[in-house]
Amino acid sequence: MSGPVHSMKIGGQGMSSPYPIVSQSEVAIVPVIDISGLRKTARERSLVVKEIGNACGRMGFFQVVNHRIGKAVMEGALEAASAFFELPEQEKRKYESGNLREPVRYGTGLKDGEEVTRNRRFFIKHYAHPLEEWITCWPANPPNYREKMGEFSTQAREVGLELLEAITESLGLGPTYLTRRMSGSMQVIAVNFYPRPHTPSPGSTVGLPAHSDYSCLTIVLPNSPGLEILDPEDSSWKLVPVVEGALQVHVGDHLEVLSNGIYKSVVHRGIINVDETRISIASLQSLAMEEKMEPAEELIDEDHPKGYVGSSYMDFLEFLYGNELGQGWSFVDALKIK
């Protein structure tokens, strides 16, 4: 059904890695779950649901295969992303904005006049559900961007809904507990581009600082290694291996809230790849813009009191206006009832 990826060192002594060196971190032991069993017999489904629940409970992260997004769709999205970031800077800056509520927003972690900074990435983010409402706001250049990214966005959302059904089932809430509220939900596509540094520095160079996602669930398609997760068991950074054909799945803050802390959102960061540029495409799924996520009443009792206040995607944006990502501020920590 699934297989762990065993720990090894890269960038130092020990087993060599087939991937470019991006970090001195140990490689994470991450479940790789075959989710085709969710669509088979009741027994097979229950086994996969248990696997997913165990992964959410341990580190809030896993990878999935047999998710029904074809290789051509994934490659098409990555190629469209690469083509966008190869455009002249003037073309990309058409979408630049400091307004976090803009449905399409381009930005960079680079500071003006600095060629190399600790936080180094470029990104474009855009709303993606319902697709027909937002796709005309997306970049029209390169010409196939909307088509290729739209195909991936639609299919990634379907994978997310299937996983959310399994996750709420694993909590004993039933498969439709959350998905019945998702028809008007938010989906944000965040496309991150980490250029190869001109002057590589030893060890890890952070492109995206440590954070957890506000979402219920985040599904990520990477083109190369560079994602590190914070292992809750020993508080160390672990490099996530790239598994061919797999998607990476993050538990987000709102799922931690829903589960009343049974599942934890995963703290992660993006690392610069010293040998090549790196691209990741993230599909973040949450409830509607102003709909608040609360802990499930079924998971609250005398021994497990309510641990979080309710919050919405809009609340998260307000939080960002006053707190800089990666500077020690955490959205989910701000929601915890002390």
Side-chain angles (χ1 to χ4, degrees):
M1 197 82 65
S2 70
V5 178
H6 294 286
S7 177
M8 63 182 180
K9 291 283 188 179
I10 62 176
Q13 294 182 347
M15 187 179 298
S16 62
S17 169
Y19 304 115
I21 296 172
V22 294
S23 172
Q24 298 290 335
S25 298
E26 191 173 280
V27 173
I29 300 176
V30 177
V32 180
I33 303 176
D34 180 347
I35 61 172
S36 64
L38 294 175
R39 307 167 216 121
K40 296 181 180 177
T41 66
R43 180 180 178 278
E44 288 174 297
R45 179 179 175 85
S46 67
L47 291 174
V48 177
V49 166
K50 185 177 180 179
E51 277 192 284
I52 290 173
N54 289 339
C56 291
R58 181 186 174 269
M59 64 170 53
F61 183 87
F62 54 99
Q63 301 199 63
V64 295
V65 293
N66 288 326
H67 42 68
R68 297 192 289 193
I69 301 182
K71 181 179 180 181
V73 172
M74 293 191 292
E75 289 181 347
L78 288 169
E79 289 167 1
S82 179
F84 172 80
F85 288 108
E86 289 172 1
L87 293 173
E89 194 64 21
Q90 183 178 1
E91 178 71 17
K92 292 178 288 189
R93 287 187 180 275
K94 292 177 180 178
Y95 304 97
E96 193 170 34
S97 173
N99 182 359
L100 300 179
R101 298 185 182 89
E102 283 292 334
V104 180
R105 189 165 64 92
Y106 171 77
T108 173
L110 289 171
K111 295 180 181 178
D112 291 341
E114 293 187 34
E115 188 172 351
V116 178
T117 66
R118 181 159 177 76
N119 300 326
R120 182 184 176 93
R121 70 160 179 147
F122 299 84
F123 66 85
I124 185 164
K125 299 179 180 181
H126 39 66
Y127 295 170
H129 179 77
L131 186 63
E132 62 274 12
E133 182 176 335
W134 300 114
I135 196 169
T136 55
C137 302
W138 292 8
N141 192 17
N144 66 352
Y145 184 90
R146 293 177 179 176
E147 175 191 355
K148 298 300 183 183
M149 200 62 68
E151 288 177 347
F152 176 77
S153 300
T154 299
Q155 294 185 35
R157 183 174 186 274
E158 291 303 313
V159 175
L161 293 175
E162 184 174 41
L163 291 173
L164 284 173
E165 287 186 346
I167 289 168
T168 56
E169 190 173 336
S170 74
L171 288 167
L173 302 173
T176 64
Y177 185 92
L178 193 55
T179 54
R180 65 176 180 238
R181 301 168 61 188
M182 300 293 282
S183 61
S185 63
M186 289 291 298
Q187 180 190 16
V188 177
I189 296 294
V191 187
N192 294 305
F193 178 81
Y194 303 87
R196 177 184 176 183
H198 296 296
T199 309
S201 58
S204 300
T205 300
V206 177
L208 180 61
H211 67 287
S212 59
D213 292 339
Y214 71 86
S215 59
C216 296
L217 207 63
T218 302
I219 295 173
V220 179
L221 169 65
N223 74 335
S224 63
L227 173 68
E228 289 189 337
I229 57 176
L230 190 65
D231 192 326
E233 293 184 356
D234 60 10
S235 297
S236 67
W237 288 107
K238 303 286 178 66
L239 181 69
V240 175
V242 172
V243 177
E244 184 176 359
L247 296 170
Q248 300 168 345
V249 183
H250 302 238
V251 169
D253 293 343
H254 277 167
L255 196 53
E256 178 173 333
V257 170
L258 176 72
S259 72
N260 202 32
I262 296 173
Y263 296 159
K264 303 294 186 182
S265 55
V266 61
V267 177
H268 57 285
R269 65 184 185 182
I271 300 300
I272 300 299
N273 190 323
V274 300
D275 286 339
E276 62 181 355
T277 58
R278 176 173 172 261
I279 293 172
S280 68
I281 304 172
S283 169
L284 297 95
Q285 291 177 228
S286 61
L287 297 178
M289 177 78 77
E290 298 189 10
E291 185 174 359
K292 291 188 181 293
M293 179 70 79
E294 300 270 1
E297 292 183 3
E298 296 87 340
L299 303 177
I300 299 171
D301 56 32
E302 187 175 333
D303 295 325
H304 305 91
K306 182 177 179 180
Y308 303 81
V309 298
S311 69
S312 66
Y313 176 63
M314 184 66 75
D315 293 329
F316 169 71
L317 294 181
E318 291 297 326
F319 175 84
L320 280 188
Y321 274 116
N323 301 282
E324 187 175 348
L325 182 69
Q327 299 301 315
W329 298 98
S330 169
F331 180 55
V332 74
D333 284 345
L335 304 178
K336 292 177 181 177
I337 298 174
K338 304 297 192 270

